[in-house]
């Protein structure tokens, strides 16, 4: 029976049908899937990986949800075998460019499945565990954030449960021993099993007939427009590449094109002598409707970070942020961020302050409660004796395992607290932190996208003097037509911050609908 499911729901339902143990790393990008899987998750990827690996050694199946940005940690176990199957779901970040995991999979010699639509999610676990069992090694699957949200009719395969396998201590299989012959044999057997699996792999599908052929890698399927006489070869596996299947496909069409994220497959096809024509067989405007506006790179109306970014800008502080939507504070309307690094902004801010001691007391690192919780003891120790301060958002809609207060108290870090929608509290909090480096300002607020909006505010045009103060709040709901401010009622989230800075109180609370 077919059911309407999002990719996230399809994965969660399939996991329940697979009788597998679920583990995960709790990050912003993995949280919603872990919630559906009823798994609290660990704060560190190493812990989630080790729990899954231990489960597999014991002979059971393990599903482990990780952030795609943590995939490199898998190198620590990639050359070991597994008992029961292990499937690592690698979830991409919403606000970061998608990482190409294919080179990593090749380097680790672990197969990478690339589901493209919710139906693929419904069958992913069955295929992934079957492959993991066949090659006696973990299997990776790349899941983009858009796939978790995309919904369509799906059908769940039946009868894929598994029983606990026997356990035997096998050091060369589960423990890395330098030069162990058994391990080399194990890797050679894995390669052989993978090649034989490729020949019968269900991960390559051909759709349509025509003289024009298009090879599409997973995750790009949604970019293919409906076209007549177009034959599509959808690759559901990022690595290894099924060159024989691609060669057969290329011989069945006159013109061959390639649609892939990044540039991994193109040089492999060129080296294999498979001719691919440049570009795509359609004009670019056929893929994206010009009627769909792109999301402007600005903080949302009602964003809980807006007040503190505004205040830090007024205080002429240097601001470093975690990657993710917080980096939108660098957008044109706010221009309130100096840098966004690869890891914790604490390290970035401390690096900045070390080379600019004059700015040290006015250097801030902004991070989510999850990012704050992920900081190592050593990093928090360095921070507490540094000349910078931190601002952490405690978002009730996205709680971390430890509250920001618990993390700070464990490290003797002084705490100041403020409501994210009260400019006066934020100003007092920021000033107190600037006077006491190594302290943290904990903001209470919720992501505007996850919270129900308050009634929209409105500008009394009789009172408005056109001073433009409110525009400095950088809110996309505020415009300035005919020399006075106006608030778009469909966009305003009713946070009230702009009203706090209007010198003549021209911005007023709206009525409840
Ligand atoms: S109250 Fe003001 S700052 Fe808040 S969302 Fe509405 S327009 Fe933007
Ligand atoms: S701050 Fe107040 S007076 Fe100034 S432009 Fe905005 S609404 Fe008008």
């Amino acid at each position: 029976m077919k059911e309407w499911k999002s990719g996230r729901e399809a994965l969660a339902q399939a996991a329940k049908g697979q009788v597998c143990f679920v583990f995960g790393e709790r990050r912003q990008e993995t949280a919603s899937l872990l919630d559906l899987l009823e798994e609290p998750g660990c704060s560190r990827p190493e812990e989630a990986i080790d729990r899954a690996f231990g489960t597999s050694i014991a002979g059971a199946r393990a599903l482990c949800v990780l952030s795609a940005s943590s995939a490199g940690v898998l190198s620590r176990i990639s050359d070991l075998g597994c008992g029961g199957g292990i499937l690592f779901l690698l979830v991409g970040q919403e606000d970061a460019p998608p990482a190409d995991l294919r080179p990593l999979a090749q380097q680790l010699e672990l197969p990478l499945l690339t589901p493209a639509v919710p139906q693929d999610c419904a069958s992913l676990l069955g295929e992934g565990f079957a492959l993991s069992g066949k090659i006696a090694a973990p299997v990776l699957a790349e899941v983009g954030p858009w796939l978790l949200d995309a919904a369509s009719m799906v059908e769940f395969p039946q009868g894929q449960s598994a029983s606990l396998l026997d356990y035997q201590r096998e050091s060369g299989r589960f423990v890395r021993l330098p030069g162990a012959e058994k391990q080399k044999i194990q890797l050679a057997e894995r390669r052989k099993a993978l090649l034989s699996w490729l020949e019968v792999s269900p991960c390559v599908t051909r759709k349509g007939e025509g003289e024009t052929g298009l090879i599409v890698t997973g995750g790009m399927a949604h970019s293919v427009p409906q076209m007549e006489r177009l034959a599509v070869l959808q690759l559901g596996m990022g690595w290894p590449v099924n060159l024989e299947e691609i060669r057969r496909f290329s011989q069945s069409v006159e013109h061959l094109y390639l649609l892939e994220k990044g540039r991994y497959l193109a040089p492999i096809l060129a080296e294999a002598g498979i001719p691919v024509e440049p570009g795509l067989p359609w004009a670019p405007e056929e893929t994206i409707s010009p009627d769909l506006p792109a999301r402007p790179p600005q903080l949302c109306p009602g964003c809980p970070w807006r007040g503190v970014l505004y205040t830090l800008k007024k205080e002429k502080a240097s601001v470093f942020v975690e990657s993710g939507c917080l980096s939108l504070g660098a957008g044109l309307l706010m221009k309130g961020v100096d840098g966004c690094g690869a890891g914790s902004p604490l390290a970035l801010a401390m690096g900045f302050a070390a080379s600019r001691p004059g700015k040290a007391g006015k250097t801030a690192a902004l991070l989510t409660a999850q990012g704050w919780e992920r900081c190592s003891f050593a990093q928090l120790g360095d921070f507490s004796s540094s000349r910078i301060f931190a601002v952490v958002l405690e978002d009730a809609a996205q709680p971390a395992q430890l509250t920001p207060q618990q993390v700070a108290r464990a490290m003797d870090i002084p705490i100041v607290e403020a409501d994210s929608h009260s400019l006066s509290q934020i100003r007092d909090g920021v000033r107190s932190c600037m006077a006491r480096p190594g302290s943290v300002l904990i903001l209470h607020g919720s992501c505007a996208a996850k919270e129900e909006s308050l009634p929209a505010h409105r500008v009394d045009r009789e009172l408005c003097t056109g001073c433009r103060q409110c525009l400095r709040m950088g809110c996309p709901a505020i415009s300035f037509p005919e020399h006075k401010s106006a608030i778009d009622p469909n966009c305003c989230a009713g946070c009230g911050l702009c009203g706090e800075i209007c010198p003549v109180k021209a911005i007023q609370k709206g009525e409840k609908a």
Side-chain angles (χ1 to χ4, degrees), residues 300-303 306 421 455-458 470 473-478 486-488 491-499 507:
C300 300
C303 173
R306 172 164 283 108
H421 286 170
H457 279 48
R458 51 176 287 279
C470 53
M473 199 46 79
C475 177
I478 309 176
I487 291 179
D488 179 348
C491 192
C492 172
C495 71
L497 286 177
C498 56
I507 299 179

Side-chain angles (χ1 to χ4, degrees), residues 95 319-324 326-328 330 337-345 348:
D95 300 301
V319 178
F320 297 89
V321 301
E322 206 170 88
S323 66
L326 180 48
S327 59
L328 296 174
V337 173
D338 294 272
C340 168
S344 165
L348 198 61

Side-chain angles (χ1 to χ4, degrees), residues 459 464-470 480 485 502-504 506-507:
V459 178
C464 176
T465 60
C467 70
R468 304 176 82 105
Q469 288 285 332
C470 53
F480 202 70
S485 276
C502 173
V504 295
I507 299 179

Side-chain angles (χ1 to χ4, degrees), residues 386-402:
S386 75
R387 302 281 307 149
I388 69 162
F389 64 99
V391 182
V392 175
L393 176 68
E394 186 176 27
D395 184 341
Q398 303 175 74
Q401 284 185 323
L402 295 175

